Amino acid sequence: PNEMLKIILALCILVSFAKSSVDVRKVPSPSVIALVSKDVFCTTRNSPLDLFPRKLRLRGGHVTEPSQSDLESVKAGSKPDLESQDDAAADAEIEALISQLEGNLTGVHNSEADAALFEAEERPLKEKATLFPTHLPSLYNYARFLQVQKNSNYDAAMELYLKCLQLEPKDSWKEGLAHSCCNYGLILHVYKGNSSGAEHFYKQALSIDPDHVCTLNNYGKLLEGGEKTSSRVTLKMDLDGAENLYSRALQADPDHVPTLINFGYFKEKVREAHDEAESMYVKALRLEPDNVIALRDYAGFLCNVREPYDPDTGMPVHFNATCNAPGTFDFVTGLPINPKVDRPVDRARALYNRVLELQPVAWAGVEEETLLPRLADPFPLAHGAMAHAVAPPLPPGIDPADAAAALAALDAQAARARALLAAGN
């Protein structure tokens, strides 16, 4: 009830602002937020934000093109003032924003369809894991399902992975043991902040299978991003170790997309081996054209590496020639539109636009303190996100010996229950 009251109040505030002459300057549109996304735009090498002082008319979050007076003020080093839009246009834009917000919030609170779909997919996996508690593939597949779902249950997944590791080892389950260690380590690494625990399970997975590609990728990213305090201990950065793990992963599987992405970013940022980095980005996108992390990283590479910079201004050369004129500025990606030539910055713009097509910027609710809308992802075009590698599912089949053992265990359990009932307990 409290949350709904806040939502209703937020909508009332938006409507009242739309009907008044006051600019809603604290309600930027998704495109405005995208303009100031973290480390995504080709501005100066050390300052990725605020490409140039823009005039923002924000009654509904709309961004207008800069006028000649704006450009003159930019050259003079000052920022133009905010101006209000035509009331009718502003009212229509605010109403559209409210409708979008209402739609997103409805999707958050009315998820019966999603819950039904989840239950339908979960039921057979859960049933098999319950009926065959000594069958590692059944436990593992259910744990993995709980891990990768949109509303992941990491604690339940971790409990099942531990059960897998406690089973009596079998040669046919070697792969499943390595998968369980890898995925358990990934949860500790990314979601629990336990770097030392993650490293322990990654090492355990590699002791079972030295060429376990998913583990090599995840462990490499852990070593690359060290010196982060975890819940247990601080893990020191080991860049040489990370590079070795990435190399081993690609030797085992040259087409492993998460490793191509992470290793490409490593080559770009750490080693500055730009040709190698670009070849990895291109290969990753050839294998998975709609991989959002690869699209963002390669777009950033094109802007920050391939686009020539003016040493005097610190700005991209083509920006100086095209961005400061009306009609040549893309307000979603912050990249120039005209002239449409095959420059690195133009290719980057196309990649950023594809990211926004695949993952449209959306509202996720309202801020508790301000009661204003908040974005689901405040940095929709950010570079350098980890490309996770979750180990794949195992074949679900149960061989006759495992089935017989599981049924015998169930019979024994039923016999004990009958004995207790007979004894009056």
Side-chain angles (χ1 to χ4, degrees), residues 94-132:
I94 277 290
E95 293 296 340
L97 175 62
I98 291 173
S99 298
Q100 181 184 4
L101 179 60
E102 288 176 329
N104 288 335
L105 293 175
T106 300
V108 170
H109 293 288
N110 298 323
S111 57
E112 288 87 355
D114 290 341
L117 179 62
F118 174 84
E119 184 179 355
E121 294 177 349
E122 180 192 29
R123 189 181 303 111
L125 295 170
K126 182 177 182 180
E127 185 176 40
K128 185 174 285 188
T130 302
L131 293 175
F132 301 100

Side-chain angles (χ1 to χ4, degrees), residues 133-375:
T134 59
H135 186 244
L136 186 146
S138 297
L139 295 177
Y140 170 82
N141 287 337
Y142 183 36
R144 185 184 184 280
F145 171 83
L146 295 174
Q147 178 180 357
V148 301
Q149 287 305 299
K150 182 178 180 181
N151 297 319
S152 303
N153 188 340
Y154 296 118
D155 292 334
M158 292 172 73
E159 183 178 348
L160 288 166
Y161 285 136
L162 287 179
K163 288 183 178 180
C164 292
L165 299 176
Q166 293 166 358
L167 294 175
E168 183 177 349
K170 295 174 57 175
D171 290 340
S172 60
W173 290 351
K174 179 181 176 181
E175 183 182 36
L177 291 172
H179 285 4
S180 297
C181 289
C182 172
N183 291 352
Y184 193 92
L186 181 63
I187 295 175
L188 292 176
H189 174 186
V190 177
Y191 304 105
K192 299 297 184 180
N194 187 345
S195 299
S196 59
E199 183 175 34
H200 169 78
F201 281 94
Y202 288 156
K203 287 181 175 179
Q204 190 171 344
L206 293 177
S207 70
I208 299 170
D209 179 4
D211 294 328
H212 197 266
V213 177
C214 294
T215 301
L216 291 168
N217 171 76
N218 297 338
Y219 192 13
K221 195 66 176 182
L222 181 70
L223 294 182
E224 178 187 348
E227 296 186 358
K228 294 180 179 179
T229 303
S230 74
S231 59
R232 304 289 178 82
V233 71
T234 298
L235 182 73
K236 295 298 182 182
M237 183 182 295
D238 182 1
L239 296 178
D240 291 336
E243 187 170 25
N244 177 59
L245 291 168
Y246 287 144
S247 298
R248 286 170 56 188
L250 291 183
Q251 288 173 4
D253 182 0
D255 294 336
H256 191 246
V257 172
T259 304
L260 288 168
I261 296 171
N262 291 334
F263 202 10
Y265 195 78
F266 179 92
K267 289 288 189 180
E268 174 192 350
K269 297 295 185 180
V270 178
R271 301 303 188 205
E272 296 187 354
H274 296 150
D275 291 341
E276 293 180 57
E278 184 168 26
S279 67
M280 292 180 186
Y281 290 145
V282 170
K283 184 174 183 179
L285 287 172
R286 187 171 69 249
L287 294 167
E288 294 184 12
D290 289 339
N291 187 298
V292 170
I293 299 177
L295 289 166
R296 292 187 307 209
D297 286 356
Y298 188 36
F301 174 87
L302 290 171
C303 277
N304 298 322
V305 175
R306 295 307 189 201
E307 182 70 14
Y309 275 71
D310 184 334
D312 295 328
T313 64
M315 293 290 291
V317 172
H318 294 136
F319 269 65
N320 295 343
T322 63
C323 281
N324 292 340
T328 64
F329 196 77
D330 188 314
F331 292 113
V332 174
T333 62
L335 298 171
I337 298 173
N338 297 314
K340 292 183 178 179
V341 296
D342 187 26
R343 301 169 303 194
V345 73
D346 297 292
R347 283 179 279 152
R349 174 175 56 82
L351 295 174
Y352 281 134
N353 281 333
R354 182 57 181 156
V355 171
L356 295 176
E357 289 175 4
L358 294 168
Q359 293 185 349
V361 179
W363 303 111
V366 294
E367 296 288 351
E368 292 186 2
E369 295 182 359
T370 63
L371 296 178
L372 293 173
R374 61 181 173 83
L375 286 173

